Amino acid sequence: GNNNKDETCHGPTTDPAEATVPPIPHLDVSDPSPPPPSRHSPPASRPSTNSFPSLDGLSNLSEVWSMPQQWDKFKQYLATISEGEDSEGQPLIMVRYATFLEMYARLDTEYRRGVSRERLLQLVTDMMEHEEQFLGRERYLKCIDAGMRREVLETVKLVKTGNEEAGPRVFIVIYPRVVDRLEEMLGNYQ
């Protein structure tokens, strides 16, 4: 018989999930059950304290992350906030946290897809050498402490010498801190 018909019924050839943003990688350390959708609806009208459109009562980072337009709005907001400056007077803008999360998510996604070690090493290197210097001596993300920073730098050394696997685990110690910081900023934004 002709089985072609069956195969075409298996759904669209391009999975819509593939085209959109990957979910924020799940943390092994966090509570596995996600919080229920917000039962209390946001206030009907609230004067906006800033010039950015509100994120419409979105309850958490995952929701915002899953909607590219909302994520972009949130990043625009983060770009207006500084955590201080480095010794050269360059501001430490909060959007760095969002950039780190995007790069981490890319690393996590490609790792799960089983891409080559070279590709994963390149992604880890890109994160380490990013202009924002997420783990630099002066410009490091302020939500991480010296011990965490040292741990990641040690792991990266091992990855480069081939003694440790390149992948999201390299940054797993600081990833929850970055997510928490972004959740906090989202709370301030809403």
Side-chain angles (χ1 to χ4, degrees):
N2 185 355
N3 288 337
N4 287 355
K5 218 172 238 173
D6 287 353
E7 284 170 31
T8 53
C9 291
H10 280 282
T13 46
T14 53
D15 183 355
E18 291 275 326
T20 57
V21 193
I24 295 180
H26 286 294
L27 289 179
D28 299 332
V29 293
S30 71
D31 179 7
S33 57
S38 183
R39 282 179 304 280
H40 43 143
S41 55
S45 66
R46 177 172 39 178
S48 184
T49 51
N50 55 41
S51 57
F52 294 102
S54 128
L55 279 175
D56 307 326
L58 292 172
S59 64
N60 64 27
L61 199 62
S62 303
E63 283 184 58
V64 177
W65 171 264
S66 67
M67 297 182 228
Q69 277 179 302
Q70 297 287 8
W71 180 250
D72 285 344
K73 283 182 198 170
F74 182 45
K75 281 170 58 182
Q76 285 170 9
Y77 165 71
L78 292 174
T80 66
I81 300 169
S82 169
E83 278 192 299
E85 38 185 58
D86 63 20
S87 61
E88 292 167 17
Q90 293 299 316
L92 302 170
I93 305 296
M94 289 300 296
V95 77
R96 307 175 318 135
Y97 288 86
T99 305
F100 176 89
L101 184 61
E102 288 170 346
M103 295 181 85
Y104 180 89
R106 187 175 313 131
L107 174 62
D108 185 76
T109 302
E110 300 218 7
Y111 177 78
R112 289 169 193 271
R113 280 199 191 128
V115 299
S116 69
R117 181 183 184 283
E118 289 70 32
R119 173 67 181 146
L120 293 171
L121 186 57
Q122 184 58 56
L123 290 168
V124 168
T125 305
D126 289 349
M127 288 177 77
M128 292 306 297
E129 294 176 359
H130 190 274
E131 62 183 3
E132 283 296 353
Q133 299 167 30
F134 305 123
L135 293 153
R137 186 165 282 127
E138 276 196 45
R139 295 188 61 84
Y140 67 91
L141 299 171
K142 299 299 178 213
C143 67
I144 59 178
D145 60 38
M148 292 174 157
R149 182 176 163 268
R150 201 171 325 127
E151 191 178 326
V152 174
L153 294 174
E154 288 298 320
T155 306
V156 169
K157 270 187 205 154
L158 293 172
V159 165
K160 288 187 171 173
T161 58
N163 295 320
E164 181 74 57
E165 186 182 33
R169 286 236 332 270
V170 173
F171 301 102
I172 197 65
V173 51
I174 58 177
Y175 169 70
R177 290 287 187 99
V178 171
V179 170
D180 287 349
R181 191 75 179 97
L182 284 167
E183 287 271 11
E184 198 181 301
M185 295 309 297
L186 184 59
N188 297 344
Y189 174 44
Q190 290 176 329

